[in-house]
């Protein structure tokens, strides 16, 4: 089984980081990760809230399907949860599918 590590940097512009590295900025850890792995920019899902976009990455679903269309969701039997909490997500995640 191949292991994969996904690191997401919220609110970081990949082209800007690459520009700083090319200009000689002292970013040894980011430089090493970019050199050894792969990188890509993700297009934001709307509404462009942080938990909405992390839920989209974790499920592959749009906010209306995942249930993470806001910062908080009312979950039956539990109450109000941050949509960072996986219990607030109403569809299967890529981790569950794997």
């Amino acid at each position: 089984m191949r292991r994969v590590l996904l690191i997401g940097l919220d609110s970081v512009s990949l082209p800007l980081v690459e520009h700083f590295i090319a200009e000689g900025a002292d970013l040894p850890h980011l430089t090493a990760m970019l050199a050894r792995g792969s990188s890509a920019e993700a297009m934001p899902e709307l509404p462009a809230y942080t938990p909405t976009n992390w839920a989209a990455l974790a499920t592959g679903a749009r906010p209306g399907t995942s249930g993470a269309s806001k910062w908080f969701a009312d979950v039956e039997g539990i109450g109000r949860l941050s949509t960072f909490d996986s219990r607030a997500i109403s569809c299967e995640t890529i981790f569950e599918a794997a």
Side-chain angles (χ1 to χ4, degrees):
M1 172 193 252
R2 183 175 174 192
R3 294 179 184 207
V4 176
L5 174 65
L6 172 66
I7 297 175
L9 302 176
D10 198 356
S11 300
V12 174
S13 167
L14 181 59
L16 198 53
V17 169
E18 291 171 334
H19 171 76
F20 288 147
I21 290 170
E23 292 290 318
D26 187 22
L27 300 169
H29 301 295
L30 284 174
T31 301
M33 285 191 290
L34 289 171
R36 292 184 199 141
S38 60
S39 62
E41 283 190 279
M43 297 301 295
E45 185 60 62
L46 298 175
Y49 302 137
T50 297
T52 300
N53 282 283
W54 284 110
L57 285 169
T59 63
R62 302 198 70 157
T65 301
S66 71
S69 60
K70 300 176 184 172
W71 281 88
F72 294 94
D74 293 316
V75 179
E76 188 175 329
I78 298 175
R80 191 167 175 85
L81 291 176
S82 164
T83 50
F84 279 117
D85 190 320
S86 62
R87 296 174 297 169
I89 305 302
S90 59
C91 66
E92 184 177 53
T93 67
I94 59 173
F95 311 107
E96 294 165 331

